[in-house]
Structure formats: C-alpha cells, structure tokens
Amino acid sequence: LQITKPLSFFPFTISHTARLPTDLLVLTVATAETDGFSRFLRSAKLFNYTVKVLGRGEEWQGGDYMAPGGGQRIRLLKAALEEMKEDHGCSSFPLSYDVVFASGPKELLKKFQQSGHRVVFSSETLIWPDRHLEDKYPHVREGNRFLGAGGFIGYLPNVKTMVADWTGEDHDSDQLFFTNIYINPEKRKSINITLDSRCRLFQNLNGALDEVVLKFEDSRVRARNVLYDTLPVIVHGNGPTKLQVNYLGNYIPKVWTFETGCTECHQNLRPLTGIQVTIGVFIQQPTPFLAVFFERLLNLQYPKNRLKLFIYNQESHHKKQVDSFLEGHGGLYQDVKVVGPEGADTDSISSRNLGLDLCRQDKQCKYFFSVDSEVVLKNKDTLKILIEQNLPIVAPMITRPGRLWSNFWGALSADGFYARSEDYVDIVQGRRVGVWNVPYISSVYLVKGDVLRSGIPDYDLFSSDTQDADMAFCTSVRSKVGQQSFGVFLYVTNMHTFGRILSVENYQTKHLHNDLWQIFENPVDFEERYIHPNYSLIMKNKLIETPCPDVYWFPMFSEVACDHFVQEMEHFGQWSGGGAVDKRIQGGYENVPTIDIHMNQVGYEKEWHKLLLDYVAPITEKLFPGYYTKCESNLNFVVRYKPDEQPLLRPHHDASTFTINVALNTKDVDYQGGGCRFIRYNCSVEAPRKGWSLMHPGRLTHYHEGLPTTGGVRYIAVSFIDP
C-alpha cells in the first residue's frame, strides 16, 4: 500500500463469512503524515491486514485528541460505506496514529464472532466527553462499562445504520455521537451493539495503565490485560497515553523479542551517498577536555566537504580552543559559522533555535547533527550510523561511567520530568539492544532536515517557562505536527557503543590546564588524556624494566600530561630558591634542596595523591610482594634543572620508603646531560624516557645523585612515598 498522507483513524470492513485474513479490509482516514501511522502500517503489514485509505488530500478539521472532535472521521466513513454495494459486509473503527496491532485478522474475526453481536465497541474505565451521561449507561456483568469510540468492529449493514443519521460538523464529537446511540436502549438493541468490556479485542490505555503489561511469547510480544487475563488484538494509546503506547510499540508485535533482538533495526536503512549535514556544536558552560572534543569531531568518518559547522560558544574561557581548531581545520569544512562569546546577543536557547533554522532554511541540508561540548564521541562512525537509521530524530545512547545516567529517559512522570521505565536499566547496561522510541533525548542527536521544514517548522522549539531547553525541545517535537498534534517520534539507539558524557558541574577554570584537575570528576577521560597509552599493558606484558638493581622503570604519563605539568608549573612561576631554609616543609629546613614547586602550592595535592593510589600503588604491590601502601607523602614536587641555575643534585638518600621520579621532558630534545646515578651499584639511568617513572627504595640502599644538566632545561616530578 502506497500512502502519501497517514491517517487520523481507521475502520475495518469485513465479510460476515470471513474465514481468511484476506477477507478483512481496513478502512482508514489519512490527512497528515506521522510516525505513528508508519508504525501502524508496519504492524498491519506484519499480519497481512489489507488497508484502504480515505480522505487523502483533505485538511484535518476534526480537532485534536485532547478535546472533543473527530466528526470528520464519521463523515468520511459514512460516505465510504454508502459506496459499498455489498450489504452483508462488516466494519470496524479504531484510531491509527496511536494504535498497534498485536495479532492478526483471524484472531480479531474469531473474537468478534464469539461476541454474538453485530457491532462491538472498545471499552473504557473513564467516561468521556460528558460525565453527566454516566447513569444512562447500562451496567455490565464484568469489565469496563463505558464506550470508547477509538475502536469498533461491526457488520456493514449495522454500521451503515449506525452512522446514517450523522449530520454533524467535522469538529463535532464522534465519541458523543456513538455514546448517544449506545445509551439509547432501542438503538442499542436494533443495531445490536455491545462493548468489549474485558478487552479481548481492543485495549484502550487511558485509565488502564496499571492493568497492561508486556507478555513475551516465542519470538512475539503481546499486551496482556492482567485484570481480565486477556490478550487484546489492538492496543490504543487514547487520550494522554501516547508515550505509553510508544513504549509498548517498542516491543509489540515483533519489534524486539528476547529470541530475535531488534527485528526492525536493519530495515529501511538509508544509503549515505551525497548527504549534506550541518553540525551544531554548543559550548554552554566551562567544559573539560574541549581540545579533545574537537579532535574527536575532526575524526568523525564523514566527508568534510559535505559538512557545515555551526559553533555556539558561550564561554570566553574556551575561545582559544575554538580558534585553534578553526585555524587548523576550519578550511576542511564546506562552511563555518561561529557565534559568541564576545559581542554576541544570542543566548543559549536562541542559539539552538538558530542552529536548527540554518538547516531548515538550507534545502541542501538533509540532517542537523546537534552535539554539546560535554559529549565524548568515541565512535568515529557515529554520524554515519545515525544517518543510516533513516529516522526523524535519533540519538546515540551515551552514558556516564559507573552510573545509570544516560542521555535519554524511558518514561516521564506526571509532571513531565524523569521517570524510570521498566526496561531503562536493561537498555543502559546493554542487555536489550535496539532502537527505542523514547519521550526524551538530550546532548547529542540527529534531526532530519525534512522534519524541520515540514514536521516541526516552528522556529522556537526550546523555550519554556517550566522546562529546561532539552525538555522543551522534546515536548515540542512530540506534540507539534500540523493541526493534529500527534508529534514526531524521538529515538535512541544502543546498537553500537558511542561514547559517554562528561561531568561538568564542578569544573574550575582558574588554572592554565584545568583538565589536570579532573581525575575525580572524570577519571576515564583523565586517564585517556594523561596516563601513558601503554600503562594498561604493564602487568599483562611485563612492561617494566630494571635498569639498576631494585630500580624499576615503567610508563606512567602521556606526553600531553608531561607538557601540561611543566607548563602549569612555569605558569605558576614561584620556583624555590634552592636554599636549605624552606618554610614550605615541616621543620623549615631542607637537607638536599632543589629548585622546585610543590604540588600543594598549585592546589594539586589531593589530585596527585589520587594519581599515586590509582597508578603507582598497584605496581608497588606487584614489585614488592607483601608491601601494601596508601601512598602517603608529604613531599610531592616538580624539580627544574638548568646549567646556570641548579644543574645537578649532590648524593643523598630520600626521606621515603620508596620514591618515584617521572621524567617530564626529553633528553637531547629539551635538554642535554642529566640522569640519575645510584652510587652503591655504580649504575646510572642517563636517558630517562619522557613520561616514564623510576621507582626505587628511598632509604639505606639507594644512595643516589642527580647528574649534571649541561644544556636546556630538565624537569622531573618526584614523590617521597611513605616517609
């Protein structure tokens, strides 16, 4: 079936002698294209329902789902039935945007025939739209008492009779029209109407959310009404239950099962040829590792000549990183637009609207990829993967290490904030893998350009008096489609590992290299940036050398870490004079003074201790069996050696159980000479590798000296551990 515009609702028409699924014709009214209708069609196709669309090309005048309306549906149905020549047929009338088939025509026909009536309406626990009619409803032996116009099935002559008296306007209430027929005893009897009170055919969710659960069968999923122990054929998210039917639609009927996983994730994929994308980068607060963010942006595997960049930077602190990236790589992109921070009158909300509008107004823009600066995109193929999904709006799932935090919500609370869905933990932890229809996404997502131009054409999607920008955006796109307000679906995929999100709440910008202080807040990113790339191989591959007796040598810091420590100390600039009198240490006297800066002088004592615990203690315990350390140290410092300042260090013992000494720059590149000689063993390490640490006992056995630096400047980081 080729549909140019999806439906606002649908009826069924069947033969009274129907025995095969092909005997059932589904009539539906189509006036606006929605994701919900596409979902409905997929479930109909799965069970081989035959669908005929009414009302194509008409403008919808029937109101929205939160107010009485829908008369246009009856008008179109009445006209269609009058054109049908056979009088022994049968028809049914449920909605479609918020409907999913859970089973096929055979089961639907069988349950209808078992009812013994000519017309069967869906039932509800709530009366709507006129509560004053409650006393006129007949009582039922068991089940729901009130009629739901969102779904019915009936023989053609009876349905024709039922709608024959319709003379209302398109905006009048279809629910009230059918209710008045049902509560009229004579009409109810003559047409032979009953309600599906126990939800055997239809399940309306409004007022019944606690009654409905997912039932996983062999390679199939049903909705089960636990109150009546029934398996309805059709599930309808009537009224304010659109999000709940979206949740159920992630599984029903065969979208995701335990046996097959996601069955639709590889369908309807889009080829990548010649697709232009606008990337919107939003820097809205001080953000750690921003230079790394731009490195990953550059490394996205997508042709740069097909990419346009829009960068909004709210932070003056980050202007240097933005300028550096654009100076080095901006020319690779098709176009670049930067807003802020100096002299910009665009605030954070306006910037997001502006980014979307740049794509909306550019007919060549097929997608807008929005990414916040705190997003760590580890997967270089993220953009390709999202485009291939061919979805209106889709986010790659990102998480915060060690926590259940992610960039999507599986459900909303009554006031529109976060609520945990039943499957949230399984999705975040990867026990259920697929593409999920969710009510909220944030931080990073891809939006189709066509959706921006037709589905959500409003310029301002991020403003709200009660919600933050992300919540306002999600609310806007879920609810704004033409006049019918059935919304655009939001998806999140965890089909691949995409990355994580940084913690930015406590990020300070008072240092030169503030990322050095992120070992507590963002330990994974700290390790990737500052710990030697071969550190994790130390134990596995025995990547520890012994250049002298009981002197161990292993990789510890990355080159970036070494550079940042040196630059941070020089930026601080308060080097000691190298004299024996030193008020910085207990007792005020240093027996073997150096030109140095202590870690506590730059506010790095806690962070350095964390480094020792995480990256030195495990090696110590491996190399010195039976010795366990808490890496207590009252002397952690960076030493500077210069030929004209302090070129060497006389022989001495360290006031420690063991000492680490990390080379922060490279011999014959940054300096000449230097090294460390262990006198008792007449053994020297004269070319220490940048980022590698020497570890040796401090007292008694390892009397040592610093060899003369003959040129340049040499830097080392030293800790006297367990004094």
Side-chain angles (χ1 to χ4, degrees):
L1 176 66
Q2 296 297 319
I3 302 294
T4 57
K5 294 184 178 180
L7 355 166
S8 56
F9 78 99
F10 71 88
F12 305 133
T13 299
I14 61 175
S15 163
H16 82 288
T17 59
R19 298 178 184 276
L20 299 173
T22 54
D23 292 333
L24 177 63
L25 175 65
V26 177
L27 297 176
T28 188
V29 173
T31 61
E33 191 167 342
T34 71
D35 298 328
F37 178 61
S38 297
R39 174 182 60 195
F40 159 74
L41 276 186
R42 288 194 300 270
S43 66
K45 181 180 180 181
L46 179 67
F47 294 113
N48 294 320
Y49 285 97
T50 302
V51 180
K52 182 178 180 180
V53 181
L54 309 175
R56 285 180 176 173
E58 283 197 16
E59 183 179 354
W60 178 251
Q61 301 291 342
D64 63 40
Y65 68 90
M66 294 301 291
Q72 187 173 356
R73 293 193 284 260
I74 306 179
R75 172 174 64 79
L76 291 168
L77 174 64
K78 178 181 177 181
L81 295 178
E82 289 174 348
E83 293 178 359
M84 294 183 181
K85 298 179 180 180
E86 296 185 16
D87 289 333
H88 61 274
C90 186
S91 75
S92 167
F93 216 56
L95 303 175
S96 68
Y97 289 132
D98 45 11
V99 165
V100 178
F101 286 105
S103 188
K106 286 185 178 180
E107 183 176 339
L108 180 65
L109 295 174
K110 180 179 179 181
K111 289 181 175 180
F112 168 62
Q113 291 167 343
Q114 288 174 345
S115 72
H117 288 74
R118 306 289 289 183
V119 177
V120 178
F121 271 88
S122 68
S123 67
E124 299 189 32
T125 61
L126 306 173
I127 184 172
W128 192 82
D130 188 352
R131 292 189 299 172
H132 298 92
L133 298 177
E134 179 176 354
D135 292 340
K136 296 185 178 181
Y137 268 89
H139 290 277
V140 297
R141 181 177 301 176
E142 181 186 17
N144 301 327
R145 182 183 172 192
F146 305 114
L147 176 144
F152 67 78
I153 184 169
Y155 290 104
L156 184 58
N158 304 74
V159 175
K160 281 185 175 181
T161 300
M162 185 171 63
V163 300
D165 294 336
W166 172 259
T167 58
E169 302 293 331
D170 284 356
H171 60 268
D172 289 340
S173 173
D174 60 342
Q175 175 92 6
L176 187 59
F177 173 76
F178 290 126
T179 295
N180 285 328
I181 293 175
Y182 178 70
I183 63 177
N184 184 314
E186 294 181 0
K187 289 185 177 182
R188 184 170 68 248
K189 182 177 181 180
S190 63
I191 299 174
N192 195 4
I193 303 174
T194 191
L195 301 186
D196 179 31
S197 298
R198 298 178 64 248
C199 304
R200 298 180 71 243
L201 288 80
F202 306 96
Q203 177 64 66
N204 290 313
L205 295 178
N206 194 21
L209 292 178
D210 293 338
E211 302 171 9
V212 180
V213 298
L214 290 171
K215 182 179 186 296
F216 291 90
E217 300 175 343
D218 291 339
S219 300
R220 183 175 167 186
V221 187
R222 298 290 297 264
R224 176 173 176 251
N225 187 303
V226 296
L227 183 61
Y228 305 119
D229 195 22
T230 55
L231 297 174
V233 178
I234 299 164
V235 181
H236 177 205
N238 57 321
T241 63
K242 310 306 177 194
L243 299 184
Q244 286 75 18
V245 78
N246 289 351
Y247 167 76
L248 297 175
N250 284 328
Y251 297 93
I252 299 172
K254 295 183 179 181
V255 180
W256 191 95
T257 71
F258 285 106
E259 293 81 8
T260 63
C262 182
T263 63
E264 296 186 357
C265 293
H266 300 289
Q267 298 179 12
N268 195 34
L269 297 182
R270 178 170 189 166
L272 296 174
T273 307
I275 296 175
Q276 182 176 299
V277 181
T278 297
I279 298 180
V281 174
F282 298 92
I283 308 169
Q284 298 188 313
Q285 65 236 322
T287 307
F289 305 105
L290 190 64
V292 184
F293 169 87
F294 280 116
E295 290 173 11
R296 294 194 173 104
L297 183 66
L298 182 67
N299 289 332
L300 283 177
Q301 296 299 299
Y302 201 84
K304 300 295 185 292
N305 61 358
R306 291 286 178 181
L307 296 177
K308 293 185 177 182
L309 280 185
F310 168 70
I311 300 176
Y312 172 74
N313 177 23
Q314 187 172 293
E315 294 294 326
S316 298
H317 171 75
H318 289 313
K319 186 177 185 301
K320 179 180 178 181
Q321 288 101 323
V322 174
D323 291 345
S324 176
F325 170 71
L326 294 179
E327 287 171 9
H329 310 289
L332 299 174
Y333 295 88
Q334 186 182 130
D335 186 49
V336 177
K337 179 179 177 62
V338 181
V339 175
E342 287 87 3
D345 57 1
T346 304
D347 59 25
S348 60
I349 290 178
S350 298
S351 71
R352 293 187 180 274
N353 284 318
L354 175 59
L356 292 181
D357 210 43
L358 289 174
C359 180
R360 185 183 286 119
Q361 294 176 2
D362 180 2
K363 293 183 179 180
Q364 300 302 314
C365 179
K366 301 302 182 183
Y367 287 93
F368 183 82
F369 184 49
S370 178
V371 55
D372 294 352
S373 59
E374 59 265 33
V375 172
V376 179
L377 281 182
K378 295 283 290 178
N379 193 325
K380 296 179 181 180
D381 294 319
T382 296
L383 189 52
K384 290 182 178 180
I385 292 167
L386 298 182
I387 292 173
E388 286 176 339
Q389 285 298 320
N390 198 22
L391 294 169
I393 303 177
V394 58
M397 188 187 77
I398 56 174
T399 59
R400 187 161 288 166
R403 298 174 58 183
L404 287 175
W405 188 98
S406 74
N407 65 323
F408 80 95
W409 298 347
L412 298 183
S413 63
D415 55 0
F417 288 85
Y418 170 81
R420 180 174 291 184
S421 61
E422 293 180 0
D423 56 1
Y424 178 82
V425 174
D426 282 346
I427 293 173
V428 171
Q429 296 183 342
R431 290 192 291 270
R432 299 188 188 186
V433 175
V435 180
W436 312 94
N437 185 339
V438 296
Y440 172 90
I441 56 176
S442 67
S443 304
V444 54
Y445 47 83
L446 186 74
V447 186
K448 271 188 176 181
D450 289 344
V451 170
L452 291 173
R453 286 182 277 272
S454 60
I456 44 176
D458 296 345
Y459 175 78
D460 189 359
L461 297 174
F462 293 91
S463 296
S464 172
D465 294 333
T466 58
Q467 298 177 322
D468 65 23
D470 290 325
M471 294 172 63
F473 171 74
C474 294
T475 300
S476 297
V477 301
R478 288 198 317 264
S479 61
K480 293 181 180 178
V481 173
Q483 298 177 0
Q484 297 196 64
S485 300
F486 281 99
V488 176
F489 288 170
L490 302 165
Y491 293 91
V492 66
T493 173
N494 66 339
M495 293 285 288
H496 304 263
T497 299
F498 293 101
R500 56 186 178 270
I501 194 163
L502 296 169
S503 173
V504 298
E505 291 80 6
N506 299 315
Y507 187 59
Q508 302 294 320
T509 60
K510 59 185 179 180
H511 304 284
L512 178 65
H513 293 294
N514 300 283
D515 297 346
L516 282 170
W517 276 258
Q518 287 296 298
I519 190 170
F520 291 106
E521 296 292 330
N522 293 290
V524 175
D525 298 87
F526 179 93
E527 179 172 308
E528 287 186 357
R529 184 67 163 164
Y530 289 132
I531 300 304
H532 198 285
N534 290 335
Y535 177 86
S536 61
L537 303 177
I538 289 176
M539 301 301 185
K540 181 179 179 181
N541 296 343
K542 299 181 180 179
L543 196 62
I544 299 177
E545 299 180 18
T546 310
C548 298
D550 288 327
V551 176
Y552 300 100
W553 205 12
F554 56 89
M556 183 170 175
F557 288 151
S558 68
E559 289 208 8
V560 173
C562 295
D563 293 343
H564 283 191
F565 275 118
V566 170
Q567 292 164 13
E568 192 68 44
M569 294 304 175
E570 289 291 1
H571 178 72
F572 180 71
Q574 298 181 28
W575 295 95
S576 67
V581 177
D582 193 340
K583 296 181 179 179
R584 299 172 301 169
I585 62 176
Q586 187 176 4
Y589 182 83
E590 171 59 65
N591 187 44
V592 187
T594 55
I595 303 293
D596 57 45
I597 294 176
H598 291 184
M599 293 296 180
N600 59 13
Q601 289 181 263
V602 295
Y604 204 74
E605 193 76 2
K606 291 181 180 179
E607 288 76 11
W608 187 261
H609 183 240
K610 174 72 170 170
L611 268 170
L612 298 178
L613 282 175
D614 289 354
Y615 299 103
V616 173
I619 296 175
T620 303
E621 293 165 7
K622 183 74 174 179
L623 297 177
F624 301 110
Y627 181 76
Y628 300 98
T629 178
K630 294 183 179 180
C631 289
E632 300 295 339
S633 176
N634 55 16
L635 205 52
N636 307 296
F637 51 99
V638 171
V639 180
R640 183 174 74 183
Y641 291 110
K642 297 171 66 176
D644 59 350
E645 186 178 69
Q646 182 182 15
L648 53 80
L649 192 61
R650 64 181 174 82
H652 63 282
H653 282 114
D654 293 338
S656 67
T657 301
F658 68 94
T659 296
I660 65 163
N661 175 331
V662 188
L664 298 180
N665 56 353
T666 304
K667 184 175 180 177
D668 296 330
V669 175
D670 303 304
Y671 66 92
Q672 290 78 45
C676 182
R677 177 173 176 260
F678 295 93
I679 297 171
R680 178 176 180 178
Y681 307 103
N682 193 26
C683 180
S684 299
V685 181
E686 296 184 355
R689 300 165 191 156
K690 185 177 180 179
W692 282 57
S693 174
L694 288 174
M695 176 189 293
H696 60 82
R699 295 187 182 89
L700 192 60
T701 57
H702 282 65
Y703 194 60
H704 60 284
E705 63 181 336
L707 299 175
T709 298
T710 59
V713 185
R714 178 190 177 207
Y715 298 91
I716 59 173
V718 180
S719 281
F720 295 164
I721 300 175
D722 296 342

